[in-house]
Short mmCIF file of all heavy atoms in Angstrom, two decimals:
data_model
loop_
_atom_site.label_atom_id
_atom_site.label_comp_id
_atom_site.label_asym_id
_atom_site.label_seq_id
_atom_site.Cartn_x
_atom_site.Cartn_y
_atom_site.Cartn_z
N CYS A 1 -3.87 16.95 3.78
CA CYS A 1 -3.72 17.33 5.18
C CYS A 1 -4.29 16.27 6.10
O CYS A 1 -3.71 15.90 7.12
CB CYS A 1 -4.38 18.67 5.43
SG CYS A 1 -3.56 20.07 4.65
N LEU A 2 -5.49 15.79 5.75
CA LEU A 2 -6.12 14.77 6.56
C LEU A 2 -5.31 13.49 6.58
O LEU A 2 -5.19 12.83 7.58
CB LEU A 2 -7.56 14.49 6.08
CG LEU A 2 -8.54 15.64 6.29
CD1 LEU A 2 -9.88 15.31 5.66
CD2 LEU A 2 -8.69 15.95 7.75
N TYR A 3 -4.74 13.14 5.42
CA TYR A 3 -3.92 11.95 5.35
C TYR A 3 -2.70 12.08 6.23
O TYR A 3 -2.27 11.14 6.90
CB TYR A 3 -3.52 11.64 3.91
CG TYR A 3 -2.64 10.40 3.80
CD1 TYR A 3 -3.18 9.13 3.91
CD2 TYR A 3 -1.27 10.52 3.61
CE1 TYR A 3 -2.40 8.02 3.82
CE2 TYR A 3 -0.47 9.40 3.52
CZ TYR A 3 -1.04 8.16 3.62
OH TYR A 3 -0.25 7.01 3.55
N GLY A 4 -2.18 13.29 6.26
CA GLY A 4 -0.97 13.54 7.05
C GLY A 4 -1.21 13.45 8.55
O GLY A 4 -0.29 13.13 9.29
N VAL A 5 -2.46 13.67 8.97
CA VAL A 5 -2.70 13.64 10.41
C VAL A 5 -3.33 12.32 10.86
O VAL A 5 -3.64 12.14 12.02
CB VAL A 5 -3.62 14.80 10.87
CG1 VAL A 5 -2.93 16.12 10.66
CG2 VAL A 5 -4.96 14.77 10.18
N THR A 6 -3.56 11.39 9.92
CA THR A 6 -4.09 10.10 10.33
C THR A 6 -3.03 9.42 11.18
O THR A 6 -1.83 9.59 10.98
CB THR A 6 -4.42 9.18 9.15
OG1 THR A 6 -3.27 9.03 8.31
CG2 THR A 6 -5.58 9.71 8.34
N SER A 7 -3.52 8.66 12.13
CA SER A 7 -2.59 8.00 13.06
C SER A 7 -1.71 7.00 12.34
O SER A 7 -2.07 6.45 11.31
CB SER A 7 -3.34 7.31 14.21
OG SER A 7 -4.09 6.22 13.64
N CYS A 8 -0.55 6.79 12.87
CA CYS A 8 0.43 5.89 12.26
C CYS A 8 -0.13 4.48 12.08
O CYS A 8 -0.01 3.92 10.99
CB CYS A 8 1.70 5.87 13.06
SG CYS A 8 3.07 5.03 12.25
N PRO A 9 -0.77 3.86 13.08
CA PRO A 9 -1.34 2.51 12.88
C PRO A 9 -2.43 2.51 11.77
O PRO A 9 -2.50 1.57 10.99
CB PRO A 9 -1.91 2.15 14.24
CG PRO A 9 -1.20 3.00 15.21
CD PRO A 9 -0.84 4.29 14.46
N GLU A 10 -3.24 3.54 11.76
CA GLU A 10 -4.29 3.62 10.75
C GLU A 10 -3.70 3.74 9.36
O GLU A 10 -4.14 3.05 8.40
CB GLU A 10 -5.19 4.80 11.05
CG GLU A 10 -6.38 4.90 10.08
CD GLU A 10 -7.26 6.09 10.42
OE1 GLU A 10 -7.25 6.53 11.59
OE2 GLU A 10 -7.93 6.57 9.52
N ARG A 11 -2.67 4.55 9.20
CA ARG A 11 -2.01 4.73 7.90
C ARG A 11 -1.34 3.41 7.50
O ARG A 11 -1.40 3.02 6.34
CB ARG A 11 -0.96 5.86 7.99
CG ARG A 11 -0.44 6.26 6.67
CD ARG A 11 0.54 7.39 6.72
NE ARG A 11 0.07 8.50 7.57
CZ ARG A 11 0.88 9.22 8.30
NH1 ARG A 11 2.17 9.02 8.32
NH2 ARG A 11 0.39 10.22 9.04
N GLN A 12 -0.70 2.73 8.47
CA GLN A 12 -0.04 1.48 8.15
C GLN A 12 -1.08 0.44 7.69
O GLN A 12 -0.82 -0.34 6.79
CB GLN A 12 0.72 0.95 9.37
CG GLN A 12 1.97 1.72 9.66
CD GLN A 12 2.65 1.28 10.93
OE1 GLN A 12 2.06 0.62 11.77
NE2 GLN A 12 3.91 1.67 11.08
N ARG A 13 -2.24 0.44 8.34
CA ARG A 13 -3.29 -0.49 7.98
C ARG A 13 -3.78 -0.22 6.55
O ARG A 13 -3.95 -1.12 5.74
CB ARG A 13 -4.46 -0.39 8.97
CG ARG A 13 -5.57 -1.42 8.72
CD ARG A 13 -6.68 -1.36 9.79
NE ARG A 13 -7.07 -0.06 10.21
CZ ARG A 13 -7.91 0.76 9.52
NH1 ARG A 13 -8.40 0.39 8.40
NH2 ARG A 13 -8.20 1.94 10.01
N GLN A 14 -3.95 1.07 6.24
CA GLN A 14 -4.38 1.42 4.88
C GLN A 14 -3.34 1.01 3.82
O GLN A 14 -3.64 0.50 2.79
CB GLN A 14 -4.62 2.92 4.78
CG GLN A 14 -5.85 3.38 5.53
CD GLN A 14 -5.98 4.91 5.54
OE1 GLN A 14 -5.04 5.62 5.16
NE2 GLN A 14 -7.13 5.40 5.97
N GLU A 15 -2.07 1.25 4.15
CA GLU A 15 -0.98 0.90 3.22
C GLU A 15 -0.90 -0.62 3.08
O GLU A 15 -0.61 -1.14 1.99
CB GLU A 15 0.33 1.49 3.72
CG GLU A 15 0.43 2.98 3.58
CD GLU A 15 1.61 3.60 4.23
OE1 GLU A 15 2.40 2.84 4.89
OE2 GLU A 15 1.82 4.81 4.11
N LEU A 16 -1.11 -1.38 4.15
CA LEU A 16 -1.08 -2.82 4.10
C LEU A 16 -2.21 -3.35 3.23
O LEU A 16 -1.99 -4.25 2.39
CB LEU A 16 -1.21 -3.42 5.52
CG LEU A 16 -1.13 -4.93 5.63
CD1 LEU A 16 0.21 -5.45 5.12
CD2 LEU A 16 -1.37 -5.37 7.06
N GLN A 17 -3.40 -2.77 3.36
CA GLN A 17 -4.53 -3.19 2.52
C GLN A 17 -4.24 -2.92 1.07
O GLN A 17 -4.50 -3.72 0.20
CB GLN A 17 -5.81 -2.47 2.96
CG GLN A 17 -6.38 -2.97 4.23
CD GLN A 17 -7.57 -2.12 4.69
OE1 GLN A 17 -7.84 -1.06 4.15
NE2 GLN A 17 -8.30 -2.64 5.67
N GLN A 18 -3.65 -1.75 0.79
CA GLN A 18 -3.33 -1.39 -0.60
C GLN A 18 -2.26 -2.31 -1.14
O GLN A 18 -2.31 -2.74 -2.27
CB GLN A 18 -2.87 0.08 -0.65
CG GLN A 18 -2.53 0.54 -2.05
CD GLN A 18 -3.76 0.56 -2.97
OE1 GLN A 18 -4.81 0.94 -2.53
NE2 GLN A 18 -3.59 0.14 -4.20
N SER A 19 -1.26 -2.64 -0.28
CA SER A 19 -0.20 -3.55 -0.71
C SER A 19 -0.75 -4.93 -1.03
O SER A 19 -0.37 -5.53 -2.05
CB SER A 19 0.85 -3.66 0.40
OG SER A 19 1.84 -4.59 0.07
N LYS A 20 -1.67 -5.43 -0.22
CA LYS A 20 -2.28 -6.74 -0.47
C LYS A 20 -3.05 -6.71 -1.80
O LYS A 20 -2.96 -7.66 -2.58
CB LYS A 20 -3.22 -7.13 0.67
CG LYS A 20 -2.48 -7.59 1.91
CD LYS A 20 -3.49 -8.00 3.01
CE LYS A 20 -2.78 -8.44 4.27
NZ LYS A 20 -3.73 -8.84 5.31
N ALA A 21 -3.79 -5.66 -2.02
CA ALA A 21 -4.57 -5.52 -3.28
C ALA A 21 -3.63 -5.48 -4.45
O ALA A 21 -3.90 -6.12 -5.49
CB ALA A 21 -5.47 -4.30 -3.23
N ASP A 22 -2.52 -4.75 -4.32
CA ASP A 22 -1.56 -4.67 -5.41
C ASP A 22 -0.91 -6.03 -5.71
O ASP A 22 -0.76 -6.41 -6.88
CB ASP A 22 -0.46 -3.64 -5.08
CG ASP A 22 -0.97 -2.21 -5.08
OD1 ASP A 22 -2.08 -1.98 -5.60
OD2 ASP A 22 -0.27 -1.34 -4.52
N LYS A 23 -0.55 -6.74 -4.65
CA LYS A 23 0.08 -8.08 -4.82
C LYS A 23 -0.89 -9.03 -5.50
O LYS A 23 -0.49 -9.82 -6.35
CB LYS A 23 0.53 -8.64 -3.47
CG LYS A 23 1.79 -7.96 -2.95
CD LYS A 23 2.17 -8.52 -1.59
CE LYS A 23 3.36 -7.78 -1.01
NZ LYS A 23 3.72 -8.29 0.32
N LYS A 24 -2.16 -8.99 -5.09
CA LYS A 24 -3.17 -9.86 -5.71
C LYS A 24 -3.31 -9.55 -7.19
O LYS A 24 -3.36 -10.46 -8.03
CB LYS A 24 -4.50 -9.67 -5.00
CG LYS A 24 -5.60 -10.59 -5.49
CD LYS A 24 -6.90 -10.39 -4.67
CE LYS A 24 -7.98 -11.33 -5.16
NZ LYS A 24 -9.21 -11.14 -4.42
N ARG A 25 -3.32 -8.27 -7.51
CA ARG A 25 -3.45 -7.90 -8.94
C ARG A 25 -2.23 -8.32 -9.71
O ARG A 25 -2.33 -8.78 -10.84
CB ARG A 25 -3.61 -6.35 -9.02
CG ARG A 25 -3.68 -5.80 -10.39
CD ARG A 25 -5.00 -6.14 -11.05
NE ARG A 25 -5.05 -5.51 -12.37
CZ ARG A 25 -5.60 -6.06 -13.42
NH1 ARG A 25 -6.22 -7.21 -13.30
NH2 ARG A 25 -5.59 -5.44 -14.55
N VAL A 26 -1.02 -8.20 -9.15
CA VAL A 26 0.21 -8.65 -9.81
C VAL A 26 0.15 -10.15 -10.08
O VAL A 26 0.52 -10.61 -11.16
CB VAL A 26 1.44 -8.24 -8.97
CG1 VAL A 26 2.68 -8.97 -9.47
CG2 VAL A 26 1.66 -6.75 -9.00
N ARG A 27 -0.30 -10.92 -9.06
CA ARG A 27 -0.40 -12.39 -9.26
C ARG A 27 -1.36 -12.72 -10.39
O ARG A 27 -1.08 -13.60 -11.22
CB ARG A 27 -0.85 -13.06 -7.96
CG ARG A 27 0.26 -13.23 -6.95
CD ARG A 27 -0.15 -14.22 -5.85
NE ARG A 27 -1.35 -13.84 -5.14
CZ ARG A 27 -1.41 -13.02 -4.08
NH1 ARG A 27 -0.28 -12.49 -3.60
NH2 ARG A 27 -2.54 -12.73 -3.49
N GLN A 28 -2.51 -12.01 -10.44
CA GLN A 28 -3.45 -12.26 -11.52
C GLN A 28 -2.86 -11.93 -12.87
O GLN A 28 -3.02 -12.73 -13.85
CB GLN A 28 -4.72 -11.42 -11.31
CG GLN A 28 -5.60 -11.83 -10.17
CD GLN A 28 -6.74 -10.86 -9.92
OE1 GLN A 28 -6.68 -9.71 -10.37
NE2 GLN A 28 -7.75 -11.30 -9.21
N LEU A 29 -2.16 -10.82 -12.97
CA LEU A 29 -1.53 -10.44 -14.23
C LEU A 29 -0.45 -11.40 -14.66
O LEU A 29 -0.33 -11.76 -15.86
CB LEU A 29 -1.00 -9.02 -14.13
CG LEU A 29 -2.05 -7.90 -14.06
CD1 LEU A 29 -1.38 -6.57 -13.74
CD2 LEU A 29 -2.88 -7.84 -15.31
N GLU A 30 0.36 -11.89 -13.67
CA GLU A 30 1.41 -12.85 -14.00
C GLU A 30 0.78 -14.18 -14.47
O GLU A 30 1.29 -14.81 -15.41
CB GLU A 30 2.31 -13.07 -12.80
CG GLU A 30 3.22 -11.92 -12.50
CD GLU A 30 4.01 -12.09 -11.22
OE1 GLU A 30 3.61 -12.95 -10.36
OE2 GLU A 30 5.01 -11.35 -11.04
N LYS A 31 -0.30 -14.61 -13.83
CA LYS A 31 -0.98 -15.85 -14.23
C LYS A 31 -1.50 -15.71 -15.67
O LYS A 31 -1.34 -16.62 -16.50
CB LYS A 31 -2.14 -16.13 -13.26
CG LYS A 31 -2.86 -17.43 -13.53
CD LYS A 31 -3.95 -17.63 -12.48
CE LYS A 31 -4.74 -18.88 -12.77
NZ LYS A 31 -5.83 -19.07 -11.78
N GLU A 32 -2.11 -14.57 -15.95
CA GLU A 32 -2.63 -14.34 -17.30
C GLU A 32 -1.50 -14.29 -18.33
O GLU A 32 -1.61 -14.81 -19.43
CB GLU A 32 -3.42 -13.02 -17.33
CG GLU A 32 -4.11 -12.73 -18.64
CD GLU A 32 -4.92 -11.46 -18.58
OE1 GLU A 32 -5.23 -10.97 -17.49
OE2 GLU A 32 -5.22 -10.95 -19.65
N LEU A 33 -0.37 -13.68 -17.94
CA LEU A 33 0.77 -13.62 -18.84
C LEU A 33 1.33 -15.00 -19.14
O LEU A 33 1.64 -15.33 -20.30
CB LEU A 33 1.85 -12.73 -18.21
CG LEU A 33 3.11 -12.52 -19.06
CD1 LEU A 33 2.78 -11.83 -20.37
CD2 LEU A 33 4.15 -11.72 -18.29
N ARG A 34 1.43 -15.87 -18.10
CA ARG A 34 1.90 -17.24 -18.32
C ARG A 34 0.99 -18.01 -19.26
O ARG A 34 1.44 -18.73 -20.15
CB ARG A 34 2.03 -17.96 -16.99
CG ARG A 34 3.27 -17.59 -16.18
CD ARG A 34 3.51 -18.54 -15.02
NE ARG A 34 2.40 -18.54 -14.07
CZ ARG A 34 2.28 -17.72 -13.03
NH1 ARG A 34 3.17 -16.80 -12.85
NH2 ARG A 34 1.23 -17.82 -12.23
N ARG A 35 -0.33 -17.84 -19.06
CA ARG A 35 -1.30 -18.53 -19.93
C ARG A 35 -1.15 -18.06 -21.37
O ARG A 35 -1.15 -18.86 -22.29
CB ARG A 35 -2.73 -18.24 -19.43
CG ARG A 35 -3.81 -18.96 -20.21
CD ARG A 35 -5.19 -18.53 -19.77
NE ARG A 35 -5.49 -17.14 -19.93
CZ ARG A 35 -5.82 -16.54 -21.10
NH1 ARG A 35 -5.87 -17.25 -22.21
NH2 ARG A 35 -6.07 -15.26 -21.14
N LYS A 36 -0.99 -16.79 -21.57
CA LYS A 36 -0.85 -16.26 -22.94
C LYS A 36 0.48 -16.67 -23.54
O LYS A 36 0.55 -16.95 -24.75
CB LYS A 36 -0.99 -14.73 -22.93
CG LYS A 36 -2.44 -14.29 -22.67
CD LYS A 36 -2.57 -12.80 -22.74
CE LYS A 36 -4.02 -12.41 -22.50
NZ LYS A 36 -4.23 -10.96 -22.58
N ASP A 37 1.53 -16.73 -22.76
CA ASP A 37 2.83 -17.19 -23.28
C ASP A 37 2.72 -18.64 -23.72
O ASP A 37 3.28 -19.01 -24.79
CB ASP A 37 3.92 -17.09 -22.19
CG ASP A 37 4.48 -15.68 -22.07
OD1 ASP A 37 4.23 -14.87 -22.99
OD2 ASP A 37 5.12 -15.39 -21.05
N LYS A 38 2.03 -19.49 -22.97
CA LYS A 38 1.87 -20.88 -23.34
C LYS A 38 1.05 -20.99 -24.63
O LYS A 38 1.39 -21.79 -25.52
CB LYS A 38 1.17 -21.67 -22.23
CG LYS A 38 2.03 -21.94 -21.01
CD LYS A 38 1.24 -22.66 -19.94
CE LYS A 38 2.09 -22.86 -18.67
NZ LYS A 38 1.30 -23.52 -17.61
N ALA A 39 -0.01 -20.22 -24.76
CA ALA A 39 -0.82 -20.25 -25.97
C ALA A 39 -0.02 -19.79 -27.16
O ALA A 39 -0.14 -20.40 -28.25
CB ALA A 39 -2.05 -19.37 -25.77
N LEU A 40 0.79 -18.78 -27.00
CA LEU A 40 1.63 -18.28 -28.08
C LEU A 40 2.66 -19.30 -28.49
O LEU A 40 2.90 -19.54 -29.69
CB LEU A 40 2.30 -16.96 -27.67
CG LEU A 40 3.15 -16.27 -28.73
CD1 LEU A 40 2.28 -15.85 -29.91
CD2 LEU A 40 3.84 -15.05 -28.13
N ALA A 41 3.28 -19.96 -27.50
CA ALA A 41 4.28 -20.99 -27.82
C ALA A 41 3.62 -22.14 -28.55
O ALA A 41 4.19 -22.72 -29.48
CB ALA A 41 4.94 -21.49 -26.50
#
């Protein structure tokens, strides 16, 4: 309920922060995957 009543800009800011954190984690995982692929090759 509280999330539903948060203001639109505040919700967008929270979603943007979460999106940035997710993208950073994806980049880290992709970098680790490339390193492991090279080691396996």
Side-chain angles (χ1 to χ4, degrees):
C1 291
L2 292 175
Y3 179 75
V5 296
T6 56
S7 66
C8 190
E10 184 179 334
R11 191 177 314 145
Q12 287 175 344
R13 185 176 39 80
Q14 289 173 349
E15 289 172 356
L16 182 62
Q17 288 174 347
Q18 182 64 40
S19 176
K20 285 181 181 180
D22 291 345
K23 286 178 184 178
K24 184 177 180 180
R25 178 73 177 143
V26 166
R27 280 195 304 273
Q28 289 173 343
L29 291 172
E30 287 174 344
K31 183 178 177 181
E32 186 178 340
L33 182 62
R34 283 192 300 272
R35 183 186 60 79
K36 289 182 178 182
D37 279 345
K38 287 178 184 177
L40 183 62

